[in-house]
């Protein structure tokens, strides 16, 4: 039996260590409950167009998957160093993070990490994603 998605309103706030103001985005999305986690899907609006984004949480691991103008599949694991490939229309880079915090609840997740791209330190990022469930069964 297929998992039925729930409609959600997603709010994402990103804070970067070298930029004083947070970046806030609000968009519609779909939430798929799993036995031991969830999948959250939404489109982030970027300069090059919408980026289909998936957050998949399983115990102790949050995966951020983007397809489209930006492509990546990166895992955030508290206390761990992880690497992946980040692609955009102009270049491809090695993305590496050390995740210092990963907090997940039933309606939000927060992850804090040090980011480097092609072995150059970029800064410390804090990403908070919250979702509220919308009424109705239409997807």
């Amino acid at each position: 039996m297929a998992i039925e998605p729930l409609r959600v309103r997603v709010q994402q706030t990103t804070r970067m260590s070298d930029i004083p103001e947070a970046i806030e985005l609000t968009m519609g999305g779909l939430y798929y409950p799993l036995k031991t986690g969830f999948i959250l899907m939404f489109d982030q609006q970027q300069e090059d167009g919408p980026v289909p984004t998936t957050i998949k949480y399983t115990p102790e691991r949050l995966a951020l998957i983007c397809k489209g103008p930006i492509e990546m599949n990166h895992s955030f694991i508290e206390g761990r160093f992880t690497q992946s490939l980040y692609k955009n229309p102009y270049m491809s880079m090695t993305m590496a993070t050390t995740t210092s915090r990963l907090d997940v609840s039933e309606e939000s997740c927060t992850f804090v990490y040090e980011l480097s791209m092609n072995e150059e330190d970029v800064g410390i990022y804090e990403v908070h994603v919250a979702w509220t469930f919308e009424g109705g069964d239409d997807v």
Side-chain angles (χ1 to χ4, degrees), residues 48-134:
D48 293 324
V51 176
T53 302
T54 301
I55 293 175
K56 181 178 181 182
Y57 176 74
T58 53
E60 300 180 20
R61 176 186 302 262
L62 186 138
L64 180 60
I65 305 157
C66 298
K67 303 273 187 204
I70 294 174
E71 290 189 23
M72 64 180 268
N73 184 341
H74 192 81
S75 291
F76 297 88
I77 304 167
E78 190 168 10
R80 298 269 307 270
F81 172 84
T82 54
Q83 281 185 252
S84 64
L85 193 60
Y86 173 94
K87 295 181 187 178
N88 66 30
Y90 315 104
M91 69 186 93
S92 180
M93 298 180 277
T94 301
M95 174 180 170
T97 62
T98 300
T99 304
S100 60
R101 186 171 136 216
L102 176 59
D103 293 327
V104 179
S105 71
E106 290 184 15
E107 294 185 358
S108 72
C109 62
T110 300
F111 47 111
V112 179
Y113 58 94
E114 292 179 45
L115 172 66
S116 65
M117 301 294 274
N118 284 344
E119 299 181 11
E120 295 287 327
D121 289 340
V122 176
I124 298 172
Y125 285 65
E126 178 178 338
V127 179
H128 178 74
V129 181
W131 52 92
T132 52
F133 294 92
E134 298 181 347

Side-chain angles (χ1 to χ4, degrees), residues 3-55:
I3 299 171
E4 290 296 320
L6 303 169
R7 298 187 90 190
V8 291
R9 175 59 78 211
V10 180
Q11 180 160 10
Q12 177 180 317
T13 304
T14 304
R15 296 184 192 288
M16 296 172 264
S17 56
D18 59 343
I19 298 176
E21 290 187 28
I23 298 169
E24 295 189 12
L25 303 170
T26 302
M27 54 249 140
L30 297 175
Y31 176 93
Y32 294 83
L34 303 175
K35 284 183 182 178
T36 58
F38 61 84
I39 296 172
L40 181 65
M41 301 174 76
F42 54 93
D43 286 346
Q44 291 186 59
Q45 295 302 318
Q46 301 284 328
E47 290 177 11
D48 293 324
V51 176
T53 302
T54 301
I55 293 175

